[in-house]
């Protein structure tokens, strides 16, 4: 699987995140999101159990807007 850069949070600075990538999977459309790892106990409690092979990340609305722009472009 390869990742194609779609964009990053404009407020994140040169080396920061969050960042959004599209993948080239052929069996289904997927995206990779680099974000801030959630460590807040209340938020994690609200989410519930997270399998060991997964994690919860926080991203700003701008990342979701990048996803919508990607979908609207038909890429």
């Amino acid at each position: 699987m390869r990742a194609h850069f779609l964009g990053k949070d404009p407020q994140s600075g040169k080396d920061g995140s969050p960042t959004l990538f599209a993948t080239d999977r052929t069996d289904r459309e997927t995206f990779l999101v680099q974000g801030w790892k959630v460590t807040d106990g209340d938020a994690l409690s609200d989410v519930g159990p997270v399998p060991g092979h997964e994690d919860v990340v926080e991203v700003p609305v701008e990342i979701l807007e990048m996803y919508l722009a990607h979908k609207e472009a038909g890429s």
Side-chain angles (χ1 to χ4, degrees):
M1 174 173 60
R2 301 302 304 251
H4 171 73
F5 174 81
L6 295 179
K8 71 179 214 150
D9 178 17
Q11 297 181 27
S12 66
K14 181 182 177 205
D15 296 323
S17 65
T19 309
L20 180 65
F21 302 87
T23 71
D24 65 353
R25 284 181 59 161
T26 57
D27 59 328
R28 64 189 298 188
E29 186 176 23
T30 63
F31 296 85
L32 304 178
V33 178
Q34 177 183 344
W36 304 298
K37 185 174 181 177
V38 176
T39 59
D40 181 276
D42 290 334
L44 292 173
S45 177
D46 292 339
V47 170
V50 177
H53 65 280
E54 296 180 2
D55 214 334
V56 178
V57 297
E58 179 182 3
V59 296
V61 69
E62 289 84 0
I63 294 295
L64 300 176
E65 290 168 347
M66 288 175 199
Y67 164 75
L68 292 174
H70 172 78
K71 292 298 289 181
E72 290 172 0
S75 300

